[in-house]
Amino acid sequence: MDQLFDALGVLFGWKFTSQWGAFDESGVWMAELAFLTRRHLELGIQRCREAVQEATRMGNESWPPQPAAFAVHCEPRPEDFGMPSLEVAWHEV
């Protein structure tokens, strides 16, 4: 959890640390993410990084996700396994 907080702190700076601090003192993040593997968490961090980059390209401000939203970022998608996205797959069908 400390590595996750470090990564999100780097990505979002004071926006993250002012809300959540330097570690999961309340245990909210651990309770929400306890079922995820390290690989899931890495995927979530990567998706947050991509969201920050996209917001920057568009001239928008990015904000850190709440624990439940971060958990959604951690869910694997078909594209992560080299398969077409759900949208593309439905179009093909």
Side-chain angles (χ1 to χ4, degrees):
M1 197 54 58
D2 289 340
Q3 291 174 337
L4 174 63
F5 267 55
D6 290 346
L8 293 176
V10 168
L11 279 173
F12 296 103
W14 67 267
K15 293 176 190 174
F16 184 80
T17 56
S18 66
Q19 182 176 8
W20 296 105
F23 61 96
D24 188 22
E25 184 176 344
S26 65
V28 172
W29 284 79
M30 180 60 87
E32 187 67 42
L33 307 176
F35 65 95
L36 297 173
T37 67
R38 180 180 185 90
R39 177 64 188 121
H40 287 110
L41 296 175
E42 290 169 351
L43 184 58
I45 292 167
Q46 179 58 36
R47 291 214 174 108
C48 283
R49 183 176 292 112
E50 291 167 359
V52 168
Q53 291 170 343
E54 184 60 25
T56 301
R57 280 188 203 98
M58 302 297 287
N60 296 325
E61 196 169 1
S62 57
W63 290 89
Q66 296 296 307
F70 182 79
V72 171
H73 285 309
C74 296
E75 295 175 0
R77 299 177 187 156
E79 306 92 296
D80 298 326
F81 303 102
M83 298 185 296
S85 68
L86 290 175
E87 182 179 308
V88 170
W90 276 110
H91 182 72
E92 289 178 5
V93 171

